[in-house]
Amino acid sequence: LKQIPPLEMGIKYFEMFPEEKDPLWQNPCSYKRHIEIWSTNKTCERLPKFLVIGPQKTGTTALYTFLAMHPTIISNYDSSETFEEVQFFNGHNYYKGIDWYMKFFPVPENVTSEFLFEKSATYFDNELVPMRAHGLLPKAKLICILVNPAKRAYSWYQHMRAHQDPTALNYTFYEILTASETAPRKLKDIRNRCLNPGVYVQHLSHWLEYYPSRQLFIVDGERLKSNPSSVMHNIQRFLHIEPYVDYQKLLRYDPKKGFYCQVLSNDRNKCLGRSKGRKYPAMEQKSQDFLKQYYHKNNIALSKLLERYKYRIPDWLQKDLSGQD
Ligand code: A3P
């Protein structure tokens, strides 16, 4: 038997098992051997109990803000790169490791009563995230928000225009939606980012391969807009969180903003910033027709999936499938 120094051993090991080069982080406290070498200064409690997984442009910032108003729900610290989102399980941050992730959370003072969480809207439709999230947080609860995927696509397009994305500025929404495979790469990229997250059935099925359905809560994004306190009521029940907070007292419809906002005093509200709840022209009829057709089969499959797992069918989906939308 030949002994070699650890670094060389590592190199040799990954030459022999290249498929293991990509890490899959797991909770160190779930394994006796890991706890033994885990520093005594560290705690596995510094990890979220639930995740808001997106998708983008469905009201995730509003939900994040409302959740953070709860006295025992604690959000992550802001990221210098991606603001309120940590975006650990997708992209390059995953390779920074568990310590990097844990530093986004305070050490809870009371592990049973406090609920750490993070929301990264990019998690929902990323191929790798369900497996990675489950690897580290198998007991975590998940919250996703579904709005009509056609509206989501249009909101994303408007978001890109507001960020001065040259492709979104140079092409109409309809041109982007109907870009063919021979179109310039940037046009296809933005088309995919408009359309793909809205294939909800595909992404949800993927999450449900890893997580049991009782750990996933689906928010109707239209209800989050029109009656956020009822959504917050249901979420608190889903999380089994205490104390129970009546959000009717914390949120108030702001006619100027056109959305519910946080109550600051009798005559003052704190609404989300200008980039949330933007004003833009209504979607053209031809884009609406295109998207209705595009998502039709997926929406039927989505409603079957939701029925199978005994989730409530969102109002917008019922309307869409009965041809009322
Ligand atoms: P629009 O700006 O297109 O209307 P996200 O935070 O996931 O990026 O979602 C942004 C969307 O949240 C907004 O899209 C808006 O419709 C929706 N939303 C839901 N509740 C809101 C609230 N209380 N205030 C502002 N926007 C809200």
Side-chain angles (χ1 to χ4, degrees), residues 57-62 66 155 225 259-260 272 276-278 280:
K57 309 317 295 172
T58 56
T60 56
T61 314
F66 301 161
S155 172
K225 279 187 210 163
F259 286 94
Y260 276 80
L272 297 187
K276 303 294 166 184
R278 291 191 172 101
Y280 40 77

Side-chain angles (χ1 to χ4, degrees), residues 137-176:
L137 309 169
K139 303 247 171 67
K141 292 191 172 177
L142 309 169
I143 302 179
C144 80
I145 311 173
L146 302 183
V147 297
N148 190 319
K151 279 198 189 167
R152 199 217 72 84
Y154 192 48
S155 172
W156 172 255
Y157 169 72
Q158 294 297 344
H159 174 80
M160 295 307 278
R161 282 176 71 87
H163 282 264
Q164 307 296 316
D165 178 88
T167 318
L169 291 174
N170 285 336
Y171 292 91
T172 65
F173 184 50
Y174 187 72
E175 283 168 336
I176 287 178

Side-chain angles (χ1 to χ4, degrees), residues 10 12 19 22 46 95 120 147 158 169 174 179 184 193 205 250 254 260 277 282 284 294 309 316:
K12 188 105 205 118
E19 71 284 359
D22 216 29
R46 211 175 168 187
Y95 300 101
S120 296
V147 297
Q158 294 297 344
L169 291 174
Y174 187 72
R193 295 184 74 193
S205 308
L250 303 185
D254 186 296
Y260 276 80
E284 280 184 305
Y294 183 86
Y309 285 103
W316 62 261

Side-chain angles (χ1 to χ4, degrees), residues 97-289:
I98 310 177
D99 273 346
W100 182 89
Y101 187 48
M102 283 186 171
K103 284 196 185 118
F104 279 93
F105 301 95
V107 177
E109 281 170 21
N110 182 335
V111 176
T112 24
S113 67
E114 289 178 351
F115 281 60
L116 303 180
F117 87 107
E118 64 126 337
K119 90 90 179 159
S120 296
T122 44
Y123 287 165
F124 181 75
D125 53 297
N126 184 292
E127 271 274 354
L128 292 169
V129 173
M131 178 185 70
R132 287 176 171 178
H134 186 259
L136 185 61
L137 309 169
K139 303 247 171 67
K141 292 191 172 177
L142 309 169
I143 302 179
C144 80
I145 311 173
L146 302 183
V147 297
N148 190 319
K151 279 198 189 167
R152 199 217 72 84
Y154 192 48
S155 172
W156 172 255
Y157 169 72
Q158 294 297 344
H159 174 80
M160 295 307 278
R161 282 176 71 87
H163 282 264
Q164 307 296 316
D165 178 88
T167 318
L169 291 174
N170 285 336
Y171 292 91
T172 65
F173 184 50
Y174 187 72
E175 283 168 336
I176 287 178
L177 294 178
T178 53
S180 72
E181 281 315 303
T182 54
R185 194 178 52 80
K186 286 196 169 152
L187 188 55
K188 283 192 296 182
D189 281 352
I190 195 166
R191 177 200 66 190
N192 293 344
R193 295 184 74 193
C194 272
L195 292 172
N196 291 353
V199 185
Y200 297 143
V201 64
Q202 180 192 324
H203 306 302
L204 278 179
S205 308
H206 194 37
W207 280 96
L208 290 167
E209 279 170 33
Y210 290 89
Y211 282 92
S213 59
R214 63 173 186 283
Q215 277 173 247
L216 170 70
F217 186 81
I218 298 176
V219 171
D220 176 342
E222 292 306 325
R223 198 170 276 231
L224 180 66
K225 279 187 210 163
S226 63
N227 192 351
S229 52
S230 82
V231 169
M232 296 312 292
H233 168 84
N234 292 336
I235 289 181
Q236 290 179 82
R237 276 182 23 189
F238 166 70
L239 294 174
H240 300 295
I241 197 161
E242 282 186 355
Y244 175 80
V245 169
D246 180 2
Y247 274 80
Q248 287 205 32
K249 298 196 177 108
L250 303 185
L251 303 174
R252 174 164 61 204
Y253 183 76
D254 186 296
K256 202 159 155 234
K257 178 77 178 170
F259 286 94
Y260 276 80
C261 300
Q262 184 178 357
V263 173
L264 288 186
S265 64
N266 272 350
D267 54 356
R268 279 181 64 227
N269 299 330
K270 186 170 177 230
C271 298
L272 297 187
R274 261 189 306 165
S275 65
K276 303 294 166 184
R278 291 191 172 101
K279 307 253 186 283
Y280 40 77
M283 200 193 307
E284 280 184 305
Q285 190 60 46
K286 60 181 179 181
S287 299
Q288 287 184 37
D289 295 343

